[in-house]
Structures are given as structure tokens and as C-alpha cells.
């Protein structure tokens, strides 16, 4: 009898085990958890998904695989307070991207930790994000992923390979050829070219100046040997806008503005990169853009011969050496987990999936057989769903809809995937922009202690407001 009971007990245990195993492989009808993610969306992505990333194919597939639902909050308007998250209105975010965190609390992760805004993930990452933790032990990532005090305050997007300069000045080479002009080298050359674009090509914004009044990698002001922010010469650190060179730069831009060589309404335009429509219709002939930009512009039949090339930053004299340009990068952005998150362990597991081999493949290339196939070298290659989308999406739009959005946080990113859709001449732009040294450029991951940051932040915030006001006055 005991043997029969034991046998029945064993069969019952086995049945329960098998039942649990089956349940583990079947997707539940409702998500295991839901998180609110405060995120910055660009206009193109917003239009693609109506402000809800759950309408994109990628995040729908990610939810299927992880059983985690995300409520996307693209603005801070639903927060009860700009400076303190409150659970009472059910809109406090669990996750927050770097742009929103910086806008609300400043750029110091150490201070956000000290103020209790975000969680210290140092110990949690080891257990709940093992893929990410393994990667950030590599020297190239470790100096980025840890704060000066040795803490993990955020999860960064990590590039599988370092990336050189990927943005810079671009110019209409077909216009130059038509006007018998060369690619400009000096500021005087640029003024000649821009004047010709205005007078002979009818460009209303010969140079598309970002609303900031300068380009992020100092292309326009490098010739005056000053950065738009902090820079260093040997062991001495300087603040560019406090130097005479910045005044000279502003005087040059003012001259061009008065001559109609810059969009008169540039202050209300795009903050960083040029407006595609302005390029497409021929309103501008030179601008600051990504190397992926030219292939995304659908010129009409009248501009079918349009040819865009890279240009080096202008110099005061043709022989001048420049020492400011984009440094090689291993990361783009980051996200943090707020102190209001009730289940940071599960949130980390969701994030960590995109650092696993399977998750990173989904992030970068989508679903095998749909958005990519394997070539003879077993490397993923995009299908026409991405390269020649039947619904009329551009390559960039298709990437944003079917894969992890370029520049988004956070995943293990194969940035070279985008080169599959680019002609060799567009890829070669990066070499032009990387032609100068970056001896004056401070590392983007320059560490500050909490005390240093607390002293520096209010000074920089006040200076930034002042500089923006006077630059655009």
C-alpha cells in the first residue's frame, strides 16, 4: 500500500512539474507586469506610432517575448510635479530616459542618486541584468557605465563596436558644380558659396543653422579654436563661450545672418539637425546632418541630380589645424529606474533581454524571415521590408518601426546595421569629419564627484541660459 501511495505521489509531483513546465512556455493572456516609461520621442517616431511605441512592430514583439507591457509617456505633462514623482496620480514613471531626466533634474546621476530620484542599481544589476553586467566589465564600457563613486546609476546603450564621427557639415555638390565653385575651406570661402546659393539658387536659408546657434560637434566654431562648452588645451580647461574666440564666432554668424545667409527664423527650427523638407525643396544648400541623412531625402524630379557631400569645418586660413571634432563613441543614451518603481528587479530583467544574444538580434535586425535573413557568412541582412518598404516607409522609418530605434536607450547596438542601406559615398562622409584631431575635446564621460557636480550644475545651468539668450539675441 505504501509503495502504491509513493508511486501515486511521484506521479502527482511529476504531473505538477510537467504542468508548470508547459505553463512556462505558454504566453499569458495578460502581461506579468507593466511599467511607465517617460521618454523623449522625435517627431518622425511620434508620427509613426501616434506617440505610443506599442503601435510599432518591434515593441509588440518585445512584449510577446518578455510578457512585460510598457506605458509610454512622451512628456511630463501628466506628472503631478516637475520636481517630485508622486504615485498618487498613477503617472509617476518607473523608467526615465536621459533627456527627460536631465530636463527635470540636471545631468548629474550622482546627484539624482543622492536626492533619491533614481535607484542605485549596483547590486541589482549583478543579479537581474547579468548580460549587461558582463559587458560593462570591459574597459571601454566600464568607464562609462559606472559613476565616479563606483555606482551603477543607469543602463546605457552600448555599441558593439566604437563609432567615429557620424555627423557634420553637408553641402549640395551639384549646386557647387553648377556654379563652378569648390567645396569651401575657409570662412571667406563659405561666405562666397552661401552668397551664391542665395543669389543664384534662390535659397532662403543658404546655411541651415540649428536653433542652438551652433552645431553639437563644434563644426562651425572650431575654426575659432573654441568649443561651445568646456574644452582643454593640455592641462588647462576653458569654457568656450567665455573666450574671445566665441565672440568672434558670434560676430561671424551675425554677419552671415545680416546678409541673409542663415534662415531668418532659425531660432524656431530644428534644435540640432537640419530640416529634411528645407533640404528637399532647395531652401537650404548647407547644413549639419547625420551621414544617414542624404539617402532619406526624396528629392522631386526637378532635383533628381541632387548630390550631397561632406564638408570639413571652416577655417580662418586654409592651412589652419583644427583640434575640435567628435570623439569615438561606445554609447549613445541611457535610461534610469526611478525610486517610484515597485519592481526594479523585473524592470532590469526586461532591459537586460536586449543585451542578450537573442534580444540584441531582435533589437538590431527584428524577426528572422521577416525583416532579415542570413547571408552565406551567416550574417543578418535586412529584407525589403526594411530596405524597400512596401508601405512607403524610408529606411530610417522602417528601422524605427520594426527594430530598436537608433539612438534609443538601452540595448546592445550594432550601429553598422544602418550601413546596409547606404551608398559608399555616404559612409565615406565619416572619414571627412574625422580628418581633424580632437586634442581639445573633453571626453563625454568626464567624471565629476557629487561635490564637484553640485557646485558645477547651477553655474552651468545659469551660463547655458545666458549663452542661449545672447547667442540668439
Amino acid at each position: 500500500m505504501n509503495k502504491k501511495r509513493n508511486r501515486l505521489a511521484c506521479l502527482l509531483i511529476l504531473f505538477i512539474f510537467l504542468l508548470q513546465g508547459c505553463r512556462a512556455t505558454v504566453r499569458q493572456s495578460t502581461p506579468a507586469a507593466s511599467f511607465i516609461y517617460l521618454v523623449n520621442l522625435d517627431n518622425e517616431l511620434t508620427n509613426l506610432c501616434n506617440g505610443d511605441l506599442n503601435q510599432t512592430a518591434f515593441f509588440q514583439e518585445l512584449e510577446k517575448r518578455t510578457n512585460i507591457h510598457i506605458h509610454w509617456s512622451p512628456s511630463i505633462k501628466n506628472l503631478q510635479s516637475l520636481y517630485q514623482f508622486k504615485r498618487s496620480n498613477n503617472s509617476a514613471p518607473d523608467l526615465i530616459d536621459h533627456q527627460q531626466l536631465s530636463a527635470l533634474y540636471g545631468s548629474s546621476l550622482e546627484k539624482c542618486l543622492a536626492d533619491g530620484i533614481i535607484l542605485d542599481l549596483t547590486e541589482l544589476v549583478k543579479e537581474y541584468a547579468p548580460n549587461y553586467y558582463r559587458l560593462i566589465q570591459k574597459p571601454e564600457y566600464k568607464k562609462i557605465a559606472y559613476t565616479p563613486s563606483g555606482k551603477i546609476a543607469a543602463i546605457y546603450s552600448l555599441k558593439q563596436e566604437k563609432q567615429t564621427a557620424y555627423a557634420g557639415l553637408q553641402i549640395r555638390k551639384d549646386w557647387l558644380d553648377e556654379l563652378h565653385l569648390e567645396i569651401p575651406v575657409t570662412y571667406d570661402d563659405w561666405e562666397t558659396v552661401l552668397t551664391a546659393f542665395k543669389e543664384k539658387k534662390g535659397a532662403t536659408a543658404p546655411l541651415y543653422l540649428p536653433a542652438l546657434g551652433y552645431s553639437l560637434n563644434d563644426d562651425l566654431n572650431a575654426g575659432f579654436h573654441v568649443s561651445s562648452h568646456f574644452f582643454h588645451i593640455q592641462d588647462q580647461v576653458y569654457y568656450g563661450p567665455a573666450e574671445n574666440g566665441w565672440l568672434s564666432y558670434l560676430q561671424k554668424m551675425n554677419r552671415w545672418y545680416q546678409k541673409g545667409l542663415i534662415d531668418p527664423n532659425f531660432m524656431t527650427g530644428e534644435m540640432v539637425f537640419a530640416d529634411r523638407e528645407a533640404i528637399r525643396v532647395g531652401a537650404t544648400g548647407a547644413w549639419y546632418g547625420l551621414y544617414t541623412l542624404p539617402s532619406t531625402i526624396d528629392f522631386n524630379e526637378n532635383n533628381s541630380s541632387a548630390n550631397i557631400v561632406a564638408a570639413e569645418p571652416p577655417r580662418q586660413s586654409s592651412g589652419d589645424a583644427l583640434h575640435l571634432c567628435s570623439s569615438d563613441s561606445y554609447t549613445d543614451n541611457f535610461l534610469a529606474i526611478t525610486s517610484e518603481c515597485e519592481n526594479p528587479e523585473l524592470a532590469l530583467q526586461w532591459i537586460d533581454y536586449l543585451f542578450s544574444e537573442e534580444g540584441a538580434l531582435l533589437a538590431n535586425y527584428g524577426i528572422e524571415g521577416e525583416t532579415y535573413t542570413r547571408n552565406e557568412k551567416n550574417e543578418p541582412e535586412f529584407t525589403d521590408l526594411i530596405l524597400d518598404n512596401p508601405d512607403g516607409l524610408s529606411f530610417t522609418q522602417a528601422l524605427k518601426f520594426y527594430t530598436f530605434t537608433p539612438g534609443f536607450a538601452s540595448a546592445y547596438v550594432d550601429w553598422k546595421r544602418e550601413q546596409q542601406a547606404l551608398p559608399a559615398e555616404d559612409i565615406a562622409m565619416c572619414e571627412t569629419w574625422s580628418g581633424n584631431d580632437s586634442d581639445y575635446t573633453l571626453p563625454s564621460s568626464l567624471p565629476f564627484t557629487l561635490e564637484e557636480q553640485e557646485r558645477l550644475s547651477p553655474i552651468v545651468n545659469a551660463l547655458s541660459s545666458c549663452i542661449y539668450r545672447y547667442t540668439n539675441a
Side-chain angles (χ1 to χ4, degrees):
M1 190 70 175
N2 288 336
K3 288 183 178 179
K4 184 181 271 188
R5 285 179 178 171
N6 290 339
R7 192 176 296 113
L8 287 172
C10 288
L11 288 172
L12 182 60
I13 292 171
L14 178 62
F15 176 77
I16 293 171
F17 176 80
L18 291 173
L19 182 61
Q20 288 177 333
C22 290
R23 285 177 177 168
T25 61
V26 177
R27 300 293 179 195
Q28 300 176 15
S29 58
T30 57
S34 181
F35 296 102
I36 299 174
Y37 191 160
L38 182 60
V39 65
N40 185 70
L41 303 180
D42 62 44
N43 291 335
E44 183 174 66
L45 188 53
T46 299
N47 293 334
L48 276 174
C49 64
N50 296 318
D52 182 7
L53 288 174
N54 292 319
Q55 294 188 28
T56 67
F58 172 76
F59 281 104
Q60 289 173 3
E61 177 65 21
L62 184 60
E63 181 169 332
K64 278 185 192 177
R65 295 191 184 191
T66 62
N67 204 30
I68 302 296
H69 182 75
I70 302 295
H71 291 285
W72 300 97
S73 179
S75 71
I76 59 176
K77 64 183 178 182
N78 292 324
L79 293 180
Q80 209 171 54
S81 168
L82 298 185
Y83 301 103
Q84 184 178 358
F85 298 139
K86 294 184 180 296
R87 243 325 142 184
S88 57
N89 65 354
N90 296 318
S91 66
D94 303 285
L95 308 171
I96 183 169
D97 78 3
H98 80 290
Q99 290 178 312
Q100 297 285 17
L101 185 68
S102 179
L104 288 170
Y105 301 105
S107 58
S108 171
L109 288 174
E110 290 273 24
K111 190 173 190 308
C112 287
L113 285 175
D115 291 346
I117 303 300
I118 60 176
L119 293 178
D120 182 348
L121 306 175
T122 311
E123 296 303 320
L124 290 174
V125 162
K126 294 178 184 178
E127 184 172 356
Y128 297 101
N131 295 298
Y132 180 75
Y133 182 74
R134 172 179 50 82
L135 288 168
I136 62 174
Q137 302 315 302
K138 297 181 179 181
E140 61 268 30
Y141 302 134
K142 194 166 189 175
K143 61 184 179 181
I144 298 168
Y146 286 83
T147 68
S149 63
K151 296 177 181 178
I152 300 175
I155 307 297
Y156 287 79
S157 275
L158 303 177
K159 297 179 182 179
Q160 296 179 13
E161 296 182 42
K162 72 177 180 180
Q163 188 171 15
T164 56
Y166 51 84
L169 294 174
Q170 297 172 330
I171 195 165
R172 286 285 297 269
K173 181 65 164 59
D174 54 314
W175 286 8
L176 292 175
D177 292 343
E178 180 184 335
L179 298 170
H180 305 291
L181 296 168
E182 299 294 328
I183 297 175
V185 174
T186 66
Y187 286 101
D188 288 343
D189 294 340
W190 273 87
E191 186 167 322
T192 298
V193 165
L194 295 176
T195 301
F197 284 178
K198 175 191 174 184
E199 295 177 352
K200 299 181 180 179
K201 297 302 299 179
T204 55
L207 173 65
Y208 194 101
L209 187 68
L212 290 172
Y214 54 88
S215 62
L216 287 185
N217 64 351
D218 292 319
D219 272 359
L220 291 170
N221 47 274
F224 292 98
H225 310 294
V226 291
S227 173
S228 58
H229 208 258
F230 290 103
F231 68 102
H232 73 110
I233 300 177
Q234 297 180 345
D235 296 330
Q236 183 68 44
V237 175
Y238 300 88
Y239 189 65
E243 300 299 311
N244 289 332
W246 188 258
L247 176 60
S248 299
Y249 165 70
L250 292 183
Q251 289 171 335
K252 178 66 70 175
M253 292 301 102
N254 179 260
R255 172 182 169 85
W256 290 1
Y257 183 83
Q258 296 298 331
K259 294 188 69 175
L261 306 184
I262 294 172
D263 182 359
N265 300 310
F266 79 92
M267 297 85 76
T268 62
E270 296 291 330
M271 289 297 291
V272 179
F273 299 112
D275 180 79
R276 286 189 180 89
E277 184 63 12
I279 299 170
R280 189 188 70 81
V281 300
T284 184
W287 57 86
Y288 175 75
L290 295 164
Y291 80 113
T292 56
L293 176 66
S295 62
T296 68
I297 299 173
D298 183 19
F299 288 102
N300 57 39
E301 293 182 2
N302 294 331
N303 284 320
S304 59
S305 62
N307 181 19
I308 299 170
V309 297
E312 289 192 20
R315 295 159 162 79
Q316 295 185 61
S317 300
S318 59
D320 288 355
L322 302 183
H323 305 289
L324 289 162
C325 72
S326 296
S327 302
D328 295 346
S329 62
Y330 283 99
T331 184
D332 282 323
N333 304 320
F334 65 75
L335 65 84
I337 299 179
T338 76
S339 56
E340 296 293 341
C341 183
E342 296 178 344
N343 196 341
E345 297 85 358
L346 191 58
L348 276 174
Q349 289 176 318
W350 176 75
I351 298 166
D352 192 57
Y353 176 71
L354 296 180
F355 291 89
S356 69
E357 183 177 353
E358 177 184 285
L361 193 58
L362 171 68
N364 290 297
Y365 293 97
I367 301 173
E368 187 168 8
E370 293 184 18
T371 54
Y372 79 93
T373 56
R374 298 278 186 172
N375 62 20
E376 64 278 1
K377 297 180 181 179
N378 201 37
E379 299 167 334
E381 290 185 345
F382 286 123
T383 66
D384 282 346
L385 189 60
I386 303 294
L387 298 175
D388 188 17
N389 185 266
D391 297 320
L393 297 180
S394 69
F395 174 71
T396 303
Q397 290 172 327
L399 276 187
K400 291 180 178 182
F401 189 81
Y402 290 102
T403 73
F404 193 75
T405 299
F408 213 65
S410 294
Y412 192 37
V413 178
D414 178 8
W415 64 269
K416 286 190 173 180
R417 63 179 178 152
E418 60 201 30
Q419 295 186 350
Q420 290 188 25
L422 299 179
E425 56 267 27
D426 287 359
I427 298 173
M429 288 185 177
C430 301
E431 296 179 12
T432 299
W433 298 324
S434 301
N436 301 299
D437 67 59
S438 57
D439 289 352
Y440 291 2
T441 306
L442 284 170
S444 58
S445 58
L446 189 68
F448 292 102
T449 65
L450 177 58
E451 293 75 19
E452 289 171 337
Q453 191 66 56
E454 285 183 335
R455 183 183 176 192
L456 187 63
S457 290
I459 297 173
V460 171
N461 290 339
L463 282 173
S464 297
S465 298
C466 178
I467 291 160
Y468 181 79
R469 184 167 67 252
Y470 281 100
T471 297
N472 296 283

